[in-house]
Amino acid sequence: MNQALTHFKQEGRKTIEHLTAEFSRLQIGRASSALVEAIIVDSYGSKQDLKSVASISIPDSKTIQIQPWDKSMLAVIEKAIIIADFGINPVNNGIAIMLNMPPMTEERRKDLVKIVKKIAEEAKVTLRNHRQKTMDMIKKSDLPEDHQKGEEKKVQVEVDLFNKEIEEVTKKKETDIMTI
């Protein structure tokens, strides 16, 4: 029945990876390519993420530079950024698109902390759903009842470890956001 526990660990790890990816996309006043690289761009009739059609660089801590491989994509990329609604106006200089990160206000920082907590809670809900599925797998197994209880305890230990990791990652992100 180690199979159910192994499956749970894999799903838990995916949940943590998703959480950190979501956190990296939050705009916290510093330029980061993670903010824009997943934006979907309509490239020659197919949908692609921005990092597939352009070079994304960070010339300084407040600027993201997006330089498409094909200059004809500038307007399409600019439109995709506007649609993504980051609250940042793209500046098209004919060669690249520049995104200048606005300074963070105290109110914006507090709003971002609320968003971080919401994302963390969603991760915990996902973890609970995985736990429930794993517990169901254990109950449906043909293991003796005392072995099932042992497996359920092992799963709960893993849940507690993943929840602790979610809390640590969340606390670190909140600290990053509130640091001026």
Side-chain angles (χ1 to χ4, degrees):
M1 186 40 39
N2 236 349
Q3 183 179 5
L5 186 60
T6 302
H7 178 72
F8 177 76
K9 286 180 180 180
Q10 290 171 343
E11 292 301 319
R13 184 60 32 220
K14 287 179 191 173
T15 301
I16 299 294
E17 289 169 4
H18 178 74
L19 175 70
T20 55
E22 287 297 309
F23 283 173
S24 71
R25 288 186 184 96
L26 289 176
Q27 181 215 336
I28 60 170
R30 287 188 297 270
S32 168
S33 61
L35 286 173
V36 295
E37 58 190 20
I39 292 175
I40 301 300
V41 178
D42 189 12
S43 171
Y44 305 109
S46 68
K47 305 282 185 199
Q48 294 187 26
D49 53 10
L50 184 57
K51 67 182 175 187
S52 299
V53 298
S55 165
I56 303 169
S57 60
I58 312 299
D60 61 59
S61 67
K62 297 285 184 194
T63 309
I64 299 173
Q65 178 177 316
I66 303 162
Q67 191 164 0
W69 312 128
D70 178 357
K71 300 280 186 264
S72 68
M73 293 291 295
L74 277 168
V76 175
I77 292 171
E78 185 177 10
K79 183 179 174 187
I81 292 168
I82 292 169
I83 291 170
D85 193 27
F86 288 118
I88 303 170
N89 289 325
V91 177
N92 183 343
N93 64 15
I95 297 169
I97 295 174
M98 307 300 278
L99 299 175
N100 297 309
M101 307 303 289
M104 295 283 285
T105 63
E106 187 68 22
E107 182 180 330
R108 176 71 177 138
R109 290 177 193 279
K110 288 178 180 175
D111 288 345
L112 279 174
V113 167
K114 288 177 188 174
I115 293 169
V116 164
K117 288 181 179 180
K118 178 178 174 263
I119 294 170
E121 187 55 38
E122 289 169 1
K124 288 180 179 180
V125 168
T126 300
L127 200 57
R128 285 193 293 268
N129 290 339
H130 290 310
R131 177 186 60 192
Q132 187 59 49
K133 288 177 189 171
T134 304
M135 295 295 195
D136 290 344
M137 286 171 63
I138 291 170
K139 285 181 178 134
K140 290 177 184 174
S141 71
D142 50 0
L143 286 175
E145 191 173 332
D146 58 334
H147 282 51
Q148 286 183 4
K149 294 290 181 202
E151 290 295 314
E152 289 173 359
K153 285 181 183 174
K154 289 178 188 175
V155 170
Q156 189 56 48
V157 166
E158 291 299 321
V159 168
D160 294 341
L161 289 172
F162 281 124
N163 276 329
K164 184 177 182 199
E165 189 172 349
I166 289 170
E167 289 297 324
E168 289 169 358
V169 171
T170 302
K171 187 57 80 182
K172 182 181 181 317
K173 189 64 177 183
E174 287 176 17
T175 303
D176 287 351
I177 289 171
M178 295 309 289
T179 303
I180 298 174

